[in-house]
Amino acid sequence: MTHDHDIVLRPTPQQTQAALNPPAGRNGGDLVVETLQGLGATTVFGLPGQHALGMFDALRRSSLSYVGLRVENNAGFAADAYGRITGEVAPLLLSTGPGALMSLAALQEAAAASAPVLAVGSQVPSAGLGGGRHGYLHELRDQQASFRDVVKSVHTARTQSQIPSTIAAAWESALTAPHGPVWVEIPQDVLLAQTELPVVTAMDATPDEVVPRPELTAVAAHLLANARRPAIIAGGGAVRSDACGKLLALAERIDAPVVTTFGGKGAFPWEHPLSLQSWLEDRHTTDFLEDADVLLVVGSGLGELSSNYHTFAPRGRVIQIEADAGKLGSNHDCLGIHADARLALSALLETVEPRQDETAPERVRTVLAAVRERIDAQELTLEQRLLASVREALPDTSPSFWDMTILAYWAWSAFDARHPNTMHSAQGAGGLGYGFPAALGAAAADPTRPVLAVSGDGGAMYSIAELATARQYGLPVTWLIVDDGGYGILREYMTDAFGEATATELARPDFVALAESFGVPAVRTTPESLTEDLAKSFAEPGPSVVVLPAVLRMFAPTHL
């Protein structure tokens, strides 16, 4: 009898010869890039530093494509977007101390958005590990401690022999549902030392799937089939797990209205008769969801934004499908199903009995009409016009990346993403500066289609250096900068709360002239010409900038 654990894969004679005679001139950095290649990586992001030079030297001996950004945090945002767009691990190469720490805000966003980023950073020489105060350049008492509360897992390779297995373990962690960022660190001397170890070949770090328990899906199917007023909230987990087709099939089988969260944009067809769209910051939508006797939540933790700032109080049964076990029932009592959204919806589709409700589309139309009436009463035609212009100009399959700016907050609720996994923002962690570098990462993943980035002038200043990156790599990103002379949403928040704003007004450059100084074509547009100017930019190869001077307002909140 043969057992699986008795099977040993034997190398071929050719493999044995290659292993016995590894190429000369390799170092520990080669083991890093060879492992990444063996795991399937094709593109890496990063920024070199003194302790990390062994990794960067090894890149020239590899087939990996390197995209170097000008600020580590922006490199992290680019890797985040690459991971979101491809669903694959995005390697991020960093140096020790300041270089590593500069990535933390981006890694927090990747964690909040479940983006699979594998950050590989250098460390001080091995003698400095363990908290000794040797005075090395970039030395921290415990570099891992800075990352431990941000990423999914932290890993250290202290010797060259540990590098392949350490990176493979981190890779598996990044891809285990829910996806997320991980941190690997390797001492400088380990990266620089010559190695006689054989070349790393193909490796397998495929994680186990998170499969739903059948007794839970059986109960969920029974509740949904017998509900009088079922409804569905679809979050980012539905998009990441490629569950959108199954979501549509389930909604149509049980005639359940669907609202998508801001992270779940595109998970459900915007104009479908059962689509409540994404108006989660609206009391009409909140009331509708509270009235559901069975509410299915797919791939969302019902956090602050998805619950209308925690004012949502469901009165019926809640079924929550979530790959992150820590989010199950964390905000509302529920029948919690710890599972990948696609696998759980597949199980429901196999067992749920169809139900018909001819009133569902009419109830959806009633809610959307009430939402429109509320918005129209606030005389916000400029904002709605600008969003419509962006939608008209942007090709349906082109991804868009939105910074924390008023037009983006509108887009969360009102923008039709048209396709899953095409609209992304920094609403997970909520930091500034995401839009443009993230768009660069998406363009690196697929340079055949134009990409849109949207920023305010305040957020744009975080990323100006990356105009050089866009030009250097010829990435097809159109950057729309809405210039209102300050931190517009904070100006509005402070004026509403305190009667006047403080520290929100900004001096800023001539963005058109600045972009052109980088060799990036730029144009100053108007609300009337925005559609045409964006369309022209999307049609041209390489990067471009469109500057829109405009002061926008946010629609009134309903949670206060």
Side-chain angles (χ1 to χ4, degrees):
M1 177 183 289
T2 301
H3 301 281
D4 287 346
H5 57 266
D6 293 328
I7 296 174
V8 177
L9 296 177
R10 303 189 186 282
T12 66
Q14 293 82 0
Q15 289 172 323
T16 300
Q17 278 299 110
L20 291 173
N21 299 283
R26 294 164 60 246
N27 59 24
D30 286 275
L31 297 172
V32 174
V33 299
E34 289 165 7
T35 302
L36 293 175
Q37 288 177 153
L39 289 165
T42 58
T43 303
V44 299
F45 300 87
L47 199 156
Q50 180 177 333
H51 288 170
L53 293 182
M55 287 191 293
F56 285 85
D57 172 63
L59 282 175
R60 64 186 171 90
R61 293 185 289 278
S62 78
S63 62
L64 294 172
S65 296
Y66 171 68
V67 180
L69 286 93
R70 302 308 197 265
V71 182
E72 288 86 354
N73 199 51
N74 293 335
F77 284 143
D80 165 302
Y82 185 97
R84 294 194 201 192
I85 288 292
T86 64
E88 301 167 359
V89 172
L92 172 65
L93 306 184
L94 302 168
S95 192
T96 320
L101 298 179
M102 282 289 288
S103 72
L104 283 170
L107 294 177
Q108 183 187 3
E109 178 57 42
S114 298
V117 176
L118 195 162
V120 183
S122 54
Q123 250 291 20
V124 297
S126 301
L129 297 183
R133 308 301 289 154
H134 298 282
Y136 288 114
L137 182 71
H138 305 329
E139 183 179 86
L140 294 166
R141 284 175 294 176
D142 184 357
Q143 183 171 274
Q144 281 193 359
S146 298
F147 290 84
R148 194 166 285 115
D149 189 45
V150 176
V151 300
K152 286 184 68 178
S153 57
V154 295
H155 311 258
T156 301
R158 294 173 178 268
T159 68
Q160 290 183 343
S161 293
Q162 294 175 8
I163 288 173
S165 294
T166 299
I167 291 177
W171 184 284
E172 181 176 344
S173 175
L175 279 185
T176 298
H179 294 173
V182 294
W183 173 252
V184 176
E185 56 186 37
I186 308 170
Q188 178 191 27
D189 53 324
V190 176
L191 291 171
L192 289 176
Q194 295 297 299
T195 185
E196 297 300 323
L197 290 172
V199 173
V200 182
T201 56
M203 301 185 68
D204 183 16
T206 305
D208 293 332
E209 293 185 310
V210 185
V211 180
R213 287 164 38 204
E215 74 274 17
L216 295 176
T217 55
V219 173
H222 174 77
L223 291 172
L224 289 168
N226 292 279
R228 298 186 309 279
R229 298 177 309 281
I232 300 173
I233 299 177
V239 175
R240 287 187 293 275
S241 66
D242 194 22
C244 303
K246 297 185 184 302
L247 172 69
L248 175 61
L250 179 64
E252 291 180 338
R253 180 171 296 185
I254 62 173
D255 274 340
V258 178
V259 62
T260 60
T261 70
F262 305 150
K265 298 286 287 187
F268 196 76
W270 190 256
E271 299 293 345
H272 193 282
L274 293 172
S275 174
L276 285 163
Q277 301 179 356
S278 299
W279 290 96
L280 285 167
E281 291 188 55
D282 189 282
R283 193 64 222 178
H284 299 296
T285 303
T286 306
D287 290 341
F288 184 93
L289 295 172
E290 287 181 349
D291 189 51
D293 61 334
V294 179
L295 180 67
L296 174 64
V297 183
V298 183
S300 171
L302 292 183
E304 184 176 32
L305 296 180
S306 301
S307 62
N308 204 352
Y309 299 90
H310 292 302
T311 62
F312 172 56
R315 294 188 293 272
R317 289 292 300 271
V318 177
I319 303 164
Q320 186 182 8
I321 297 170
E322 176 57 58
D324 186 344
K327 292 181 179 178
L328 286 175
S330 61
N331 285 309
H332 303 281
D333 291 336
C334 67
L335 174 70
I337 302 176
H338 179 216
D340 176 89
R342 179 176 52 83
L343 299 178
L345 291 179
S346 294
L348 286 177
L349 281 168
E350 290 174 2
T351 53
V352 71
E353 294 293 329
R355 66 176 292 279
Q356 289 187 327
D357 182 358
E358 296 178 356
T359 70
E362 179 58 34
R363 289 188 289 120
V364 167
R365 286 193 295 270
T366 300
V367 173
L368 293 179
V371 171
R372 279 194 297 271
E373 183 179 352
R374 187 179 77 84
I375 298 297
D376 289 346
Q378 298 175 49
E379 298 182 356
L380 298 165
T381 54
L382 172 62
E383 291 76 6
Q384 296 180 74
R385 177 183 180 183
L386 294 179
L387 210 56
S389 295
V390 173
R391 179 63 279 173
E392 183 179 350
L394 183 68
D396 285 359
T397 60
S398 283
S400 59
F401 292 83
W402 304 71
D403 213 332
M404 301 298 285
T405 187
I406 288 178
L407 192 61
Y409 302 155
W410 270 92
W412 290 354
S413 293
F415 192 75
D416 175 6
R418 292 193 181 162
H419 287 274
N421 204 28
T422 56
M423 180 180 169
H424 301 274
S425 72
Q427 53 93 16
L432 274 174
Y434 175 79
F436 187 52
L440 297 179
D446 181 4
T448 66
R449 57 183 177 173
V451 182
L452 172 67
V454 180
S455 301
D457 59 288
M461 292 302 292
Y462 279 61
S463 311
I464 288 298
E466 306 310 338
L467 284 167
T469 303
R471 180 71 276 160
Q472 180 172 343
Y473 295 98
L475 296 170
V477 174
T478 292
W479 191 8
L480 172 61
I481 300 174
V482 182
D483 183 2
D484 68 357
Y487 298 122
I489 193 65
L490 299 180
R491 177 194 291 143
E492 193 166 298
Y493 288 162
M494 293 190 78
T495 302
D496 289 346
F498 309 116
E500 60 181 295
T502 304
T504 60
E505 305 312 300
L506 301 172
R508 70 274 194 202
D510 178 338
F511 286 107
V512 171
L514 183 59
E516 289 175 341
S517 75
F518 283 91
V520 174
V523 63
R524 185 171 287 101
T525 191
T526 65
E528 293 75 21
S529 59
L530 178 59
T531 300
E532 180 182 358
D533 288 334
L534 285 176
K536 286 181 180 177
S537 294
F538 293 136
E540 295 294 326
S544 59
V545 171
V546 177
V547 180
L548 174 66
V551 177
L552 308 184
R553 294 189 298 130
M554 202 55 212
F555 53 80
T558 64
H559 64 280
L560 300 177

